[in-house]
């Protein structure tokens, strides 16, 4: 694994961000990996193949990650992660 990717994974484990109301958002390594692939613009079936998952599982995990992070769409979650240098 490259040093850059390793650094991103460390940041992801430590990505605990305060929002305006004191709430926290935490992103897991698996969530970050999923968001990285989605951010490339790959279709869901390609993302699923790369992660060795079904397309349905990718949809479910994307929804769960968005819910955990407090976003309505994957695009919002991707933008949030990108602005924090996690992607």
């Amino acid at each position: 694994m490259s040093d850059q990717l390793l650094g991103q994974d460390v940041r992801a484990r430590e990505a605990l961000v305060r929002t305006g109301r004191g709430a926290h958002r935490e992103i897991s390594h698996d969530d970050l990996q999923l968001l990285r692939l989605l951010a490339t613009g790959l279709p869901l079936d390609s993302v699923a193949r790369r992660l060795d998952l079904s397309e349905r599982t990718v949809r479910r995990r994307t929804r769960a990650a968005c819910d955990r992070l407090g976003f309505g769409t994957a695009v919002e979650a991707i933008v949030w992660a990108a602005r924090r240098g996690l992607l």
Side-chain angles (χ1 to χ4, degrees), residues 19-80:
T19 61
R21 296 184 176 162
H24 292 90
R25 291 184 179 164
E26 189 172 348
I27 188 166
S28 71
H29 170 74
D30 290 340
D31 291 344
L32 184 60
Q33 183 181 25
L34 177 61
L35 291 178
R36 280 184 186 145
L37 287 173
L38 292 172
T40 66
L42 287 172
L44 285 180
D45 61 329
S46 296
V47 171
R49 277 195 303 274
R50 288 188 184 206
L51 295 175
D52 197 29
L53 301 169
S54 73
E55 189 174 332
R56 183 177 179 184
T57 300
V58 169
R59 288 180 195 276
R60 184 181 51 79
R61 286 190 178 178
T62 301
R63 178 78 261 139
C66 288
D67 289 347
R68 241 185 335 276
L69 294 169
F71 296 111
T73 67
V75 172
E76 292 172 331
I78 290 166
V79 169
W80 173 83

